[in-house]
Amino acid sequence: MCLGNVSFMSVLCVFANFIVATVAEKRANCTRKDTKLFCEKNIPIDDFPSITWLNVTQVDWETLDFNVVHQKFPNLRLLSVVGTNLTKVHKITLPDTPLDLRIIHLSSLQITNFPDNFTSHFPFLDTLNISGNFLGEFPKFSFAGLGSVYLSANQWNCSNSLEWALKVNRQVFKDLEQLRCFKMPHNNKPVLAIAQFRKITRDSCTPNCSCHLIKCITDMETGVLEPIIEVNCSFRGFVELPSKFPPKTKILHLEGNFIKDLDALRTNPIYRDVLDIYLDNNIVTSINNLEGSYWLTHLRVFSLRNNEITEIPAYAIDNALEHNTNMPNAVRLFLGGNPWRCDCLFAPRFKEMLQKYAPQIIDLRDIRCAKDSDNSLIPVIDLSRTAVCHSPSEYTIQEALDLLNGVLASLIIFVLGKLAYDYYHYKKTGRLPWIVTKLP
């Protein structure tokens, strides 16, 4: 701005430059402290070659142009740009030449993604803070050579792969444990924990089955994050209950197999965490061996539709459900499609149990008597006691009455026949019947 080598002119020149810089700072609402410049909403129009630290807040930019920044602040080492709730940066223009920035802080700008080669334009970059944006996926640019990275308060999509969370260097990624998932099913859950649960689920999955982390919940008593893992082994040719699946599995699907024995529910401790078991369309014939088991008093869903069960220990099921910790709202039983025994010894007690737990037994009207029984395919809930039971006294009285009636009928016929014969004989011979001659 100023020319000449006169001492007075030099002083005047410095003063003039200071006035110009001060005016430029004021226009941009900036405050300067030595080589640091703090601005609101925008950066100054003029160039500031001596500034090494630039902090801009409350910006409303739609484009972040590093060429403009470099032009105005050629010796910049730290750049901090922080927006507001309304700020939305749609475009990032990378510098034409590599910059000597050591620290970059870009927060609250609603940035959804960064260019894949972002860090390659800042070869001396040591600290990168891109927290508080709208990042849903881990950036594809290289983090090699960085000493500190901050990623918290973004909108991480935990439905996508989270392998990166297990591979990054925790000494570099300073806030890794503060990263939270965005949206269901893992809304506000730690990204790192979800990634770890997924890895455990994948590595310990039952062979020939599919395993999925459905969601995670926080235990109300312990405050510990617990996974809800679903294992699907349906139609896989299993002939017995699997002995291996991910720890903390809560839901187990085993429909359409050839499983008959359920003893593992009582003996294998891995089933203590399983709440929902679906065993539809197998060849289960009995659940008597579950009587008194831990699992029976802690089940949530037990589905046994379309098996070969004819009877169950109703008193044992009744007792287990009365002590079940998930009663009454969470327990669901499915028992339809089995050939139920409908006789006096089993049906009445079974019906009482069905009536008592009707809200929990979802397919109540599909629980029917076996086809080959006297009450073929009649819903057990509709059976009357007289339809399946006859007391011994009823049988004795009825049979005695029938016998007496038969005897009386026979005697009447005999007497009438004898009377007719004697009358005929008297008319023909004139002789009275033998019994009459003996009467006094």
Side-chain angles (χ1 to χ4, degrees):
M1 177 178 174
C2 298
L3 299 175
N5 55 4
V6 180
S7 176
F8 175 77
M9 292 299 295
S10 297
V11 172
L12 184 60
C13 178
V14 171
F15 180 73
N17 284 335
F18 175 78
I19 295 297
V20 170
T22 301
V23 171
E25 292 170 14
K26 293 300 182 181
R27 279 204 302 262
N29 196 15
C30 296
T31 301
R32 181 172 181 172
K33 296 181 179 179
D34 298 327
T35 60
K36 298 179 180 180
L37 187 64
F38 300 87
C39 301
E40 290 184 4
K41 297 185 177 181
N42 218 327
I43 57 177
I45 298 176
D46 299 294
D47 299 342
F48 289 83
S50 61
I51 294 297
T52 61
W53 183 311
L54 175 63
N55 188 321
V56 189
T57 59
Q58 301 182 38
V59 300
D60 56 0
W61 304 344
E62 293 187 359
T63 299
L64 175 58
D65 192 337
F66 280 93
N67 287 311
V68 173
V69 173
H70 181 55
Q71 177 185 349
K72 295 181 178 296
F73 307 95
N75 294 307
L76 202 61
R77 297 295 180 269
L78 181 149
L79 173 64
S80 176
V81 180
V82 180
T84 67
N85 293 335
L86 301 178
T87 306
K88 190 170 186 178
V89 173
H90 297 282
K91 181 180 179 181
I92 297 177
T93 302
L94 295 174
D96 296 332
T97 59
L99 301 188
D100 197 17
L101 284 170
R102 309 300 170 92
I103 299 174
I104 296 179
H105 178 197
L106 306 174
S107 291
S108 301
L109 302 174
Q110 297 190 30
I111 298 173
T112 57
N113 58 76
F114 282 83
D116 294 350
N117 60 342
F118 180 77
T119 51
S120 64
H121 290 262
F122 311 100
F124 302 102
L125 187 62
D126 178 73
T127 300
L128 176 63
N129 187 339
I130 50 176
S131 60
N133 284 289
F134 281 11
L135 296 178
E137 297 184 6
F138 191 66
K140 296 180 180 180
F141 57 74
S142 174
F143 289 88
L146 297 183
S148 301
V149 177
Y150 299 88
L151 299 172
S152 62
N154 276 285
Q155 298 182 353
W156 301 110
N157 185 351
C158 290
S159 296
N160 296 332
S161 174
L162 298 177
E163 288 293 311
W164 57 268
L166 302 175
K167 295 178 179 179
V168 298
N169 187 342
R170 297 192 188 187
Q171 294 182 344
V172 173
F173 289 77
K174 304 296 185 179
D175 57 352
L176 185 62
E177 294 185 358
Q178 279 71 56
L179 270 58
R180 293 291 185 271
C181 297
F182 182 72
K183 293 185 178 180
M184 299 302 290
H186 306 299
N187 187 40
N188 205 35
K189 300 297 189 297
V191 170
L192 185 59
I194 301 300
Q196 291 170 336
F197 286 144
R198 279 191 180 174
K199 185 177 187 303
I200 293 172
T201 301
R202 182 182 65 251
D203 293 347
S204 58
C205 188
T206 308
N208 198 32
C209 297
S210 60
C211 302
H212 303 282
L213 177 67
I214 304 300
K215 62 179 180 179
C216 294
I217 59 173
T218 302
D219 189 285
M220 299 298 292
E221 296 182 359
T222 63
V224 176
L225 193 65
E226 293 283 347
I228 296 181
I229 298 173
E230 180 182 57
V231 177
N232 191 341
C233 298
S234 299
F235 302 96
R236 304 295 209 281
F238 280 80
V239 296
E240 60 183 13
L241 292 173
S243 59
K244 175 184 179 295
F245 43 79
K248 302 295 184 179
T249 293
K250 296 293 188 293
I251 306 170
L252 180 58
H253 286 272
L254 288 161
E255 299 99 322
N257 288 292
F258 305 96
I259 298 171
K260 181 177 182 179
D261 183 18
L262 304 183
D263 195 52
L265 295 180
R266 179 178 60 86
T267 59
N268 192 338
I270 197 172
Y271 282 93
R272 292 175 71 91
D273 288 324
V274 180
L275 296 176
D276 306 346
I277 294 185
Y278 297 85
L279 283 159
D280 304 347
N281 302 297
N282 278 274
I283 55 173
V284 179
T285 58
S286 173
I287 62 170
N288 291 353
N289 52 356
L290 298 182
E291 182 178 346
S293 65
Y294 173 90
W295 189 82
L296 207 57
T297 57
H298 291 77
L299 67 87
R300 189 173 61 187
V301 176
F302 196 18
S303 186
L304 291 164
R305 290 180 291 191
N306 302 321
N307 279 276
E308 299 178 6
I309 304 172
T310 58
E311 60 180 301
I312 60 174
Y315 65 90
I317 301 296
D318 186 5
N319 182 66
L321 293 180
E322 283 186 348
H323 296 86
N324 191 296
T325 55
N326 295 308
M327 282 288 288
N329 296 326
V331 172
R332 297 291 181 268
L333 298 179
F334 299 85
L335 301 171
N338 286 284
W340 293 104
R341 169 186 168 189
C342 290
D343 59 19
C344 190
L345 295 177
F346 173 70
R349 182 69 183 91
F350 186 41
K351 178 182 176 181
E352 289 179 8
M353 190 203 78
L354 297 181
Q355 290 174 327
K356 182 176 181 179
Y357 297 106
Q360 287 75 41
I361 301 173
I362 307 304
D363 56 349
L364 192 62
R365 302 202 62 81
D366 291 331
I367 303 173
R368 300 171 180 267
C369 299
K371 287 183 179 180
D372 56 356
S373 67
D374 293 337
N375 297 289
S376 177
L377 298 181
I378 295 178
V380 175
I381 198 69
D382 291 341
L383 287 177
S384 64
R385 189 175 186 86
T386 56
V388 294
C389 295
H390 302 281
S391 66
S393 59
E394 289 176 346
Y395 277 116
T396 302
I397 295 172
Q398 186 64 44
E399 290 174 354
L401 290 174
D402 290 344
L403 179 60
L404 179 60
N405 289 333
V407 171
L408 292 175
S410 300
L411 289 175
I412 291 172
I413 293 172
F414 175 76
V415 170
L416 292 175
K418 185 67 171 67
L419 179 62
Y421 173 77
D422 288 345
Y423 176 76
Y424 171 78
H425 187 270
Y426 173 75
K427 284 291 186 181
K428 185 177 181 179
T429 63
R431 297 174 61 184
L432 293 172
W434 175 82
I435 189 65
V436 175
T437 61
K438 299 299 182 181
L439 293 175

